[in-house]
Amino acid sequence: MTSHAIAHKALSKLLDAGTRRRIRTAAGDTVAASAITVVFSEAKLPEYIELDSSEELERVHAEIREAERAGALRIEWDSAAGRFGQISRIVLSNIEALASFLNVTPQWVHIERAMQLSTPWRGQPAVDAIRAAWVRNTKVRNLGPRDAERLVEACRVLDRVRQATDAAVETPVRRLSADMFGDTKHIENALVPILDELTRGDEPPVSEVEAVLPRIGLVKHPQTLLIGGRGTLVLTNGQRITLTPPYLGIAPDQLARIDGPAPDHVLTIENLTTFNEVSRGLNEFTDAMVIYTAGMPSPSLRRALRCIAKCCSNHTRFWHWGDIDEGGLRIAKIVAASIAEESMPERILRPWLMDPCRLPETVRQAPGSYRQIRRMVAMAEELGWCEVATGIREMPSMVEQEAISPRTPF
């Protein structure tokens, strides 16, 4: 154990160099078999060269010689300075002994522990990518090998969700969190980024609870399918319910199909306030259906959207209206994927009031960053919304849906 700052710095630099070598070797990198050293020069360790007190110099030497006696290193002395007058460099002999001498847990121990803890999920691409990053001592979503328990907890959560007896029904996140961790908010507070990393695929990383949890089947409370328009809802138990103004709500997993003439238009709406306003404007002559996505639609609500889309004709036009921001466009991508039908390649999701250039200046807000705008443009292009992408590029801004006076494309 060292007490002098200069001795501690020199020994820590030697340990760090040895740790980097060991980590690179474990990662399979080709590493030269050269000695691991710290040179006591003006460039590498100026504090040592600038010492002007023989007493201070002797204290530094004494502590480093103690590390040498512990078998951690070998000292090479500067012959020009006389016997034990000045150190030229120190050479690593035994990295475990050096770590023990400094009384620290070396990073490779954390890495080896992380590899051991995550072994049950080895073979899953996202887990393997995290393990590979950690072997190189690189953090993922601000988590490193020391945080391996977080990865394990997230994998256990996903296992529990996948093992649910009824995949059509979402799991209340706080009940699951209390059951697994004894804390109702642990999943929301500690695991959302790593859960996103494990499940996002090729999508950009996000950390918002509302964007991540519904995607994997976790909800604060079960979502309700709110739907306005004309037709008869047929439930899984065979019960038939006629849609009445302004809208009806059912558990999304209970919808089997919708009977009646296919609507000319289907409009999905992200926010509840706007949905209420639009649905109350429908009448018996409006040949349209309005659906509330409840923000980011959960898996069961996505299944209901697919069910509704299958009951529509190839002449039905599908529209989406949501916030003009990353979250809103991410929701639009989920909706578009939900209504897609291989047998109807002409079916597309059209944007409604989502081009900032076509909206009043008073509702446009400054974007958080240029990077955010680039991601928004990319998502609009993926949706095939070229005008929206151009509008966001030319008029970088975000718009909350509730700021726009409601109107519809029908």
Side-chain angles (χ1 to χ4, degrees):
M1 184 70 181
T2 59
S3 59
H4 197 287
I6 295 176
H8 187 273
K9 180 177 180 180
L11 296 178
S12 295
K13 284 168 68 75
L14 188 64
L15 179 63
D16 290 344
T19 297
R20 287 193 296 272
R21 172 78 64 85
R22 184 154 178 164
I23 290 171
R24 288 185 61 196
T25 301
D29 292 348
T30 302
V31 181
S34 56
I36 298 170
T37 66
V38 171
V39 178
F40 283 53
S41 65
E42 180 69 38
K44 301 295 185 180
L45 200 64
E47 302 94 328
Y48 175 77
I49 300 300
E50 293 166 3
L51 279 173
D52 55 6
S53 165
S54 58
E55 183 179 342
E56 285 289 296
L57 189 64
E58 183 52 37
R59 282 185 58 201
V60 173
H61 289 176
E63 293 189 6
I64 295 178
R65 290 169 76 178
E66 187 179 347
E68 184 179 45
R69 286 192 294 271
L73 54 88
R74 184 181 81 253
I75 303 174
E76 293 185 0
W77 298 92
D78 184 351
S79 57
R83 183 174 173 78
F84 306 138
Q86 187 165 312
I87 296 174
S88 173
R89 67 175 187 167
I90 53 177
V91 183
L92 183 65
S93 300
N94 186 309
I95 194 167
E96 286 84 1
L98 180 56
S100 176
F101 181 79
L102 289 171
N103 195 28
V104 299
T105 302
Q107 186 68 0
W108 76 80
V109 172
H110 295 293
I111 293 173
E112 290 170 357
R113 179 172 175 272
M115 296 302 103
Q116 182 181 13
L117 288 175
S118 59
T119 295
W121 296 275
R122 188 177 180 182
Q124 298 181 17
V127 174
D128 288 348
I130 294 171
R131 285 165 56 93
W134 282 355
V135 165
R136 298 182 183 279
N137 204 25
T138 300
K139 287 190 173 185
V140 177
R141 303 301 284 268
N142 207 33
L143 298 177
R146 295 169 187 254
D147 309 298
E149 287 84 358
R150 290 287 182 265
L151 173 61
V152 171
E153 289 173 348
C155 289
R156 288 178 54 217
V157 167
L158 292 174
D159 286 347
R160 281 285 293 270
V161 172
R162 292 170 185 141
Q163 293 165 5
T165 54
D166 189 349
V169 180
E170 283 77 37
T171 303
V173 62
R174 292 186 179 176
R175 189 176 298 281
L176 179 65
S177 188
D179 181 42
M180 294 186 68
F181 308 111
D183 178 351
T184 59
K185 296 184 180 179
H186 181 73
I187 293 176
E188 293 167 83
N189 292 341
L191 302 183
V192 170
I194 192 68
L195 284 169
D196 176 61
E197 192 64 27
L198 290 170
T199 58
R200 68 184 177 88
D202 296 328
E203 293 294 316
V206 295
S207 299
E208 295 83 5
V209 170
E210 296 77 9
V212 177
L213 297 187
R215 187 179 71 218
I216 62 177
L218 292 176
V219 293
K220 288 186 179 180
H221 50 76
Q223 293 179 343
T224 302
L225 172 62
L226 300 181
I227 181 169
R230 293 187 293 172
T232 300
L233 307 182
V234 181
L235 308 188
T236 54
N237 63 3
Q239 184 180 358
R240 300 172 65 86
I241 305 174
T242 300
L243 284 171
T244 56
Y247 56 83
L248 286 179
I250 63 170
D253 61 290
Q254 295 303 300
L255 181 66
R257 68 177 189 275
I258 298 180
D259 285 351
D264 286 341
H265 302 273
V266 173
L267 173 62
T268 54
I269 297 178
E270 175 183 342
N271 295 296
L272 184 57
T273 298
T274 305
F275 170 80
N276 269 281
E277 292 172 330
V278 171
S279 60
R280 290 181 184 278
L282 299 177
N283 58 52
E284 58 182 313
F285 303 107
T286 307
D287 195 5
M289 192 171 288
V290 181
I291 303 168
Y292 173 48
T293 71
M296 175 64 73
S298 64
S300 66
L301 209 150
R302 280 178 249 160
R303 188 199 66 83
L305 287 173
R306 284 193 292 272
C307 179
I308 293 168
K310 288 181 181 295
C311 298
C312 294
S313 73
N314 56 354
H315 300 296
T316 302
R317 289 193 165 201
F318 285 81
W319 305 83
H320 179 73
W321 184 12
D323 294 336
I324 304 175
D325 58 19
E326 278 191 89
L329 288 162
R330 196 173 295 116
I331 290 167
K333 287 182 64 178
I334 293 293
V335 173
S338 300
I339 67 161
E341 187 71 54
E342 289 185 10
S343 61
M344 295 185 186
E346 70 276 9
R347 175 176 289 169
I348 59 172
L349 184 67
R350 295 170 169 83
W352 178 245
L353 300 179
M354 295 194 69
D355 181 351
C357 287
R358 297 177 178 270
L359 297 174
E361 183 179 355
T362 53
V363 304
R364 297 196 295 262
Q365 301 175 9
S369 66
Y370 176 66
R371 184 179 178 185
Q372 192 173 25
I373 289 297
R374 282 192 304 171
R375 289 196 292 258
M376 290 168 62
V377 169
M379 283 190 281
E381 290 175 339
E382 287 176 35
L383 282 159
W385 295 357
C386 297
E387 288 187 10
V388 172
T390 301
I392 295 172
R393 191 182 291 111
E394 295 179 355
M395 187 70 67
S397 53
M398 299 187 298
V399 179
E400 291 184 352
Q401 186 179 34
E402 294 92 337
I404 306 170
S405 298
R407 56 187 188 275
T408 67
F410 38 80

